[in-house]
């Protein structure tokens, strides 16, 4: 018997191997085989008595890995992803196979909790939970939307409890690793008898392997994780939840470029179970599908706490006479009021580091990354300049390397600079910075979150890590800096992302009995995007964006694919994409409505020493685009590309 094996990560079709006598191999078995003199992991995707190559060329399967075979539905999910995103099946299956660690999973015990508190649902939450329960046993896509603080998590947990009571498992996806500990505690408090496992890339290999085994054995009632958890085995799957479904983190930006939300929808459909897409700021794609009747709306119109009130929102000038080191005067005044009342404040800017750029006052020299078409970001403690794209690091120069001037000016404000400015303005305040730099150590973010809840911090300074999913009852003041940067972006999704981000950030204020106040520093106070902060404003702004997208033929009213090429020499990337463009234009004649655009430079035209170019394909018909891409991918793969790295991104999130 021949085993047809998709080698994890291999950019090729499955390979045939002999199955030696006595080796128990079935479809889904995870095996070790030799490929090009290397021992590699693969997944058996089929058994066949006849090989597709000459028998004398076949090798044998070396061993079956001590893992349960991938269940049929996980294999089906991987096959769908490989087909839709035009990726090698082995590369996709690499996401479904856990790290191979020598560990055995014990039966998952209920997660212990210091006392249990049952959650109480208001009328809107109870109605939403009841509708989800009524959808059990069949595919239904339910959009759970509402203002921030409306209690979507309680609805998820109520729905999960009912699914578990009927013998099912719940798969819950969250957009970021930092949200999993908090969500796990919420599950433990609300469902103390539930057996919970987490799956995300920050878990140690042994823990992730053990959690995967528990999920596969059906010993976990709740599987909680980031986008990779969409491939988790769940033999009793009864409910799928995608929290913050709008979040861009669900889109994988390298390797297999899948969108976990969309894959979760496909998986729920294939398994015949309901899926809940939760967000206070649903994506335009989700809103469009709901408008077409493909998804059903479940609304939570008010905050869950009856004593909570929507925060007041104001727009103030970026620069004023009372401004201090980039922080607008009204924001400083609001923080002062919060400190006087024993309340907490959040200053948000979506830039880490000390300053986004370093410039010479005499000759206008700027510190640029030698590997990327991007400026180096100034960091403090230690004083270094870093590229946030390739990781290049340099010392901060004492003088301009171009003219010798010692008057070098940090331009703009990052989280480190704001932290220093706030410490100077409010020397007695307890301040914490939350960004990727300050939370690298394991458990660092969790410790800061506990300090906030314990009232041991007064001011938080942070990036979008603080924007979603956190409930800080004593946080009453939110100041937003740098919001205007997105308005200069060439990405057509920039204002949608900004509106969602602003609404999420503003939602951190006034979640308890204390009234909240949100102050946005902007030079464009009348821009429609800032209307998303008003009560019901996001929905209105989203309708405006949908009308614009319809008029311009952009998603969700069309479907895109992006072919990118990177090479050390720009001519190599350009030549490759020119050839791909010719092939694409020729092929597109057979597919009505498929448009193949000429190649252009990427927005970040140079990264990590590689020149980057891209070619966009667009069609109003998804099926026509998919049929075209199948032929186009074959043609592209046949082109010579020795000095070029090529990637195809279906439904790209960024350009």
């Amino acid at each position: 018997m021949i085993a047809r094996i998709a080698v994890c990560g291999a950019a090729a079709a499955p390979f045939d191997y002999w199955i030696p006598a006595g080796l128990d191999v079935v479809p889904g078995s995870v095996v070790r085989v030799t490929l090009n003199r290397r021992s590699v992991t693969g997944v058996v995707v089929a058994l066949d008595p006849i090989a597709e190559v000459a028998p004398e060329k076949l090798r044998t399967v070396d061993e079956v890995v001590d893992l349960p075979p991938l269940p049929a539905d996980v294999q089906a999910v991987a096959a769908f992803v490989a087909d839709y995103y035009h990726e090698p099946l082995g590369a996709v299956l690499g996401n479904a196979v856990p790290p191979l660690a020598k560990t055995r999973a014990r039966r998952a015990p209920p997660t212990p909790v210091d006392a249990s508190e049952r959650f109480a649902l208001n009328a809107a939450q109870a109605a939403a939970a009841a509708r989800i329960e009524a959808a059990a046993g069949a595919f239904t896509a339910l959009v759970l939307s509402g203002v921030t603080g409306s209690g979507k998590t309680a609805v998820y947990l109520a729905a999960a409890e009912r699914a578990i009571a009927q013998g099912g498992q719940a798969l819950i996806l969250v957009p970021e690793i930092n949200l999993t500990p908090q969500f796990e505690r919420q599950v433990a408090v609300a469902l103390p008898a539930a057996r919970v496992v987490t799956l995300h890339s920050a878990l140690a290999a042994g823990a992730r392997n053990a959690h995967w085994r528990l999920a596969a054995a059906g010993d976990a009632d709740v599987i909680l994780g980031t986008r990779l958890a969409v491939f988790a085995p769940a033999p009793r799957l009864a409910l799928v939840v995608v929290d913050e479904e709008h979040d861009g983190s669900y889109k994988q930006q390298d390797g297999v470029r899948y969108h976990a939300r969309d894959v979760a929808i496909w998986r729920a459909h294939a398994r015949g179970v309901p899926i809940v897409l939760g967000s206070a700021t649903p994506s335009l794609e989700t809103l469009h599908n709901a408008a077409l009747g493909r998804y059903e709306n479940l609304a939570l119109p008010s905050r869950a706490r009856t004593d909570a009130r929507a925060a007041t929102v104001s727009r103030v000038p970026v620069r004023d006479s009372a401004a201090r080191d980039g922080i607008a005067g009204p924001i400083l005044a609001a923080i002062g009021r919060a400190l006087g009342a024993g309340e907490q404040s959040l200053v948000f800017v979506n830039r880490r580091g000390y300053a986004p750029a370093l410039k010479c006052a005499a000759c206008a020299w700027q510190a640029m990354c030698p590997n990327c078409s991007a400026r180096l970001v100034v960091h403090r403690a230690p004083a270094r300049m870093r590229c946030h794209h390739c990781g290049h690091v340099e010392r901060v120069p004492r003088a301009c390397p171009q003219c010798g001037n010692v008057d070098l000016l940090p331009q703009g404000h990052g989280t480190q600079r704001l932290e220093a400015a706030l410490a100077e303005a409010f020397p007695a305040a307890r301040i914490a910075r939350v960004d990727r730099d300050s939370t690298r150590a394991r458990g660092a973010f969790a410790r800061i979150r506990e300090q906030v809840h314990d009232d041991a911090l007064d001011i938080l300074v942070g990036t979008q890590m603080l924007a979603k999913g956190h409930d800080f009852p004593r946080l009453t003041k939110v100041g937003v800096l740098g919001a205007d940067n997105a308005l200069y972006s060439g990405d057509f999704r920039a204002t949608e992302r900004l509106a969602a981000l602003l609404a999420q950030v503003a939602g951190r204020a006034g979640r308890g009995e204390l009234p909240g106040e949100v102050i946005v520093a902007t030079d464009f106070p009348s821009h429609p995007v800032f209307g998303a902060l008003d009560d019901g404003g996001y929905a209105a702004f989203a309708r405006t964006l949908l009308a614009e997208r319809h008029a311009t033929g952009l998603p969700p009213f069309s479907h895109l694919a992006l072919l990118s090429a990177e090479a050390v020499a720009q001519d190599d990337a350009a030549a490759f994409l020119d050839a791909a463009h010719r092939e694409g234009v020729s092929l597109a004649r057979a597919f009505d409505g498929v448009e193949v655009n000429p190649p252009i430079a990427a927005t970040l035209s140079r990264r990590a020493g590689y020149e980057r170019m891209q070619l966009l394909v667009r069609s109003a018909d998804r099926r026509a685009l998919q049929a075209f891409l199948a032929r186009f991918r074959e043609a592209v793969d046949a082109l010579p590309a020795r000095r070029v790295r090529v990637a195809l991104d279906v439904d790209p999130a960024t350009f």
Side-chain angles (χ1 to χ4, degrees):
M1 185 65 72
I2 303 300
R4 197 145 291 134
I5 297 171
V7 174
C8 296
F15 299 94
D16 286 354
Y17 287 82
W18 287 113
I19 302 175
L23 203 62
D24 186 16
V25 175
V26 298
S29 291
V30 181
V31 297
R32 286 244 186 226
V33 295
T34 301
L35 180 66
N36 295 332
R37 300 181 180 178
R38 295 185 302 114
S39 178
V40 295
T41 304
V43 177
V44 177
V45 295
L47 300 178
D48 200 319
I50 301 174
E52 294 184 346
V53 297
E56 63 271 14
K57 293 184 178 180
L58 296 184
R59 297 191 177 201
T60 60
V61 175
D62 294 331
E63 66 170 321
V64 177
V65 175
D66 181 23
L67 275 178
L70 295 185
D73 75 314
V74 173
Q75 296 180 59
V77 170
F80 161 74
V81 171
D83 184 57
Y84 181 81
Y85 294 98
H86 300 272
E87 297 281 2
L89 180 58
V92 180
L93 286 167
N95 290 275
V97 175
L100 302 183
K102 294 183 178 180
T103 181
R104 289 200 173 272
R106 299 178 180 177
R107 187 172 178 83
T111 304
V113 294
D114 302 333
S116 175
E117 296 179 8
R118 297 293 299 150
F119 50 85
L121 303 182
N122 60 29
Q125 290 171 315
R131 177 64 190 97
I132 298 168
E133 182 180 21
F139 170 73
T140 308
L142 301 155
V143 182
L144 184 63
S145 61
V147 298
T148 53
S150 57
K152 291 180 289 294
T153 301
V155 176
Y156 304 153
L157 298 179
E161 180 183 49
R162 296 172 189 182
I164 294 166
Q166 297 298 317
Q169 289 172 298
L171 171 62
I172 302 177
L173 302 184
V174 294
E176 290 190 5
I177 291 170
N178 283 320
L179 294 175
T180 52
Q182 172 180 281
F183 212 119
E184 187 176 14
R185 283 195 295 273
Q186 290 174 311
V187 175
V189 168
L191 310 176
R195 299 165 296 184
V196 184
V197 297
T198 55
L199 287 172
H200 54 75
S201 59
L203 281 177
R208 186 166 148 199
N209 183 290
H211 291 191
W212 187 93
R213 289 172 182 269
L214 291 166
D219 286 339
D221 299 313
V222 177
I223 303 164
L224 173 65
T226 53
R227 58 177 177 257
L228 65 80
V230 77
F231 296 103
R236 299 185 286 112
L237 185 64
L239 173 68
V240 180
V241 173
V242 182
D243 185 37
E244 309 288 5
E245 65 84 24
H246 69 278
D247 198 282
S249 298
Y250 285 120
K251 174 68 173 179
Q252 177 78 23
Q253 298 291 354
D254 52 21
V256 179
R257 292 167 167 81
Y258 67 96
H259 197 301
R261 177 200 61 207
D262 299 342
V263 176
I265 293 169
W266 189 92
R267 185 174 185 184
H269 182 272
R271 286 293 295 266
V273 301
I275 182 169
V276 180
L277 306 174
S279 176
T281 55
S283 66
L284 295 191
E285 285 78 7
T286 293
L287 291 174
H288 181 58
N289 280 317
L292 294 176
R294 296 170 181 163
Y295 300 169
E296 181 180 336
N297 277 315
L298 301 177
L300 300 178
S302 59
R303 293 200 167 188
R305 288 189 58 159
T306 56
D307 57 355
R309 292 171 285 170
T312 61
V313 179
S314 60
R315 282 84 117 175
V316 302
V318 173
R319 301 164 192 84
D320 60 70
S321 58
R324 186 166 183 170
D325 207 6
I327 306 175
I331 293 178
L332 290 169
I335 294 172
R337 292 195 299 274
L339 288 170
E343 299 166 3
Q344 296 166 327
S345 303
L346 164 64
V347 178
F348 172 85
V349 63
N350 210 22
R351 282 180 168 174
R352 60 191 175 99
Y354 184 80
L358 185 68
K359 188 174 181 179
C360 174
C363 70
W365 167 87
Q366 292 189 78
M368 301 295 294
C369 176
N371 307 317
C372 307
S373 55
R375 293 175 295 194
L376 292 173
V377 177
V378 180
H379 284 249
R380 291 284 176 89
R384 293 288 187 272
M385 297 189 299
R386 299 179 183 275
C387 177
H388 288 180
H389 298 284
C390 73
H392 174 80
V393 179
E394 292 182 13
R395 291 185 176 182
V396 178
R398 294 182 178 179
C400 174
Q402 188 164 285
C403 72
N405 174 41
V406 295
D407 189 14
L408 299 179
L409 305 176
Q411 300 282 305
H413 297 80
T415 50
Q416 290 181 349
R417 190 171 189 177
L418 291 174
E419 180 186 25
L422 288 165
E424 184 178 339
F426 305 105
R430 299 164 296 177
I431 303 173
R433 173 168 52 88
V434 179
D435 56 26
R436 196 185 308 171
D437 299 317
S438 66
T439 58
R440 290 187 189 278
R442 186 182 295 273
F445 192 20
R447 286 191 293 273
I448 293 174
R449 195 167 50 239
E450 288 170 5
Q451 287 178 300
V452 176
H453 282 290
D454 293 342
D455 229 1
L457 287 175
D458 301 310
I459 304 173
L460 288 171
V461 182
T463 60
Q464 62 180 350
M465 291 177 66
L466 282 172
K468 41 200 161 184
H470 305 294
D471 191 358
F472 303 139
R474 295 196 60 78
L475 197 155
T476 61
K477 304 293 188 286
V478 170
V480 179
L481 304 175
D484 290 352
N485 295 327
L487 303 181
Y488 296 100
S489 173
D491 187 343
F492 72 89
R493 290 192 174 92
T495 51
E496 177 190 358
R497 292 197 186 99
L498 176 59
L501 185 59
L502 289 173
Q504 295 286 335
V505 172
R508 298 315 105 202
R511 295 175 72 91
E513 61 184 7
L514 300 172
E517 181 181 5
V518 179
I519 304 172
V520 182
T522 175
D523 288 329
F524 308 99
S526 61
H527 194 288
V529 72
F530 297 114
L533 289 168
D534 300 329
D535 190 23
Y538 179 80
F541 183 64
R543 288 192 294 270
T544 300
L545 287 183
L546 281 169
E548 291 178 0
R549 299 277 185 89
H550 184 266
T552 54
L554 289 169
F557 300 97
S558 69
H559 308 282
L560 308 178
L562 193 71
L563 181 67
S564 61
E566 300 181 343
V568 173
Q570 186 182 49
D571 287 348
D572 290 335
F576 179 86
L577 285 186
D578 283 339
H581 180 249
R582 290 191 294 271
E583 293 282 350
V585 169
S586 177
L587 287 171
R589 297 190 183 104
F591 300 92
D592 188 37
V594 173
E595 171 189 322
V596 183
N597 291 280
I600 60 172
T603 304
L604 183 67
S605 60
R606 181 177 173 82
R607 182 178 66 185
Y610 282 81
E611 302 293 336
R612 307 169 70 234
M613 299 191 70
Q614 58 194 29
L615 176 158
L616 184 69
V617 183
R618 176 167 66 170
S619 175
D621 187 332
R622 192 192 298 272
R623 292 183 180 179
L625 179 63
Q626 281 291 318
F628 166 81
L629 289 176
R631 297 274 304 278
F632 185 52
R633 183 79 203 225
E634 290 179 358
V636 167
D637 288 345
L639 294 173
R642 288 186 178 180
R643 296 184 295 271
V644 182
R645 300 194 302 202
V646 182
L648 179 65
D649 190 355
V650 180
D651 301 334
T654 58
F655 291 176

